[in-house]
Amino acid sequence: MRISIKRQCELLELNRSSFYYQAKSETKENVRIMKLIDEIYTDLPYYGSPRITAEIKKRGLWINHKRIERLMRLMGLEAIFPKRNLSKKNPR
């Protein structure tokens, strides 16, 4: 016995539009920017999105920092620096 897609979505409490949704891939321009971000990050891993944005602008591309942040998040990149609360006392 086959259950229709409509009924399956009802049982899962899922909208059918969510069932049929297919994510779009990144544009060629974004892939090119991601390669540039990767180049910069490989040389300077302590640079965050503001500095990477400034570095890209030095190279002649005028790109919004929000786009750089989104692409860095997508790539899983984050500046390497000491995080908070590293100097906590040992409770013993």
Side-chain angles (χ1 to χ4, degrees):
M1 181 176 163
R2 291 185 57 116
I3 301 175
S4 69
I5 291 175
K6 180 180 179 182
R7 182 65 183 139
Q8 289 177 39
C9 289
E10 284 174 1
L11 291 171
L12 294 171
E13 296 179 0
L14 179 73
N15 292 328
R16 273 191 294 160
S17 60
S18 298
F19 174 79
Y20 289 112
Y21 175 77
Q22 291 184 349
K24 294 182 181 179
S25 62
E26 287 296 330
T27 63
K28 289 181 182 179
E29 183 182 4
N30 279 347
V31 171
R32 189 172 60 95
I33 294 167
M34 288 166 73
K35 285 181 184 177
L36 191 55
I37 290 171
D38 189 46
E39 260 180 46
I40 295 167
Y41 185 81
T42 302
D43 294 337
L44 307 162
Y46 47 87
Y47 271 19
S49 60
R51 282 188 171 177
I52 289 181
T53 303
E55 190 67 33
I56 288 175
K57 286 180 181 178
K58 282 183 194 173
R59 296 180 185 201
L61 288 173
W62 202 259
I63 299 171
N64 191 322
H65 71 95
K66 294 177 202 171
R67 186 176 189 183
I68 300 296
E69 287 174 6
R70 183 183 70 80
L71 293 175
M72 283 181 70
R73 249 192 330 267
L74 186 68
M75 297 167 70
L77 299 179
E78 183 180 298
I80 298 172
F81 63 93
K83 305 295 190 258
R84 290 186 188 170
N85 298 322
L86 290 179
S87 302
K88 285 187 175 178
K89 272 173 92 173
N90 189 342
R92 289 188 271 166

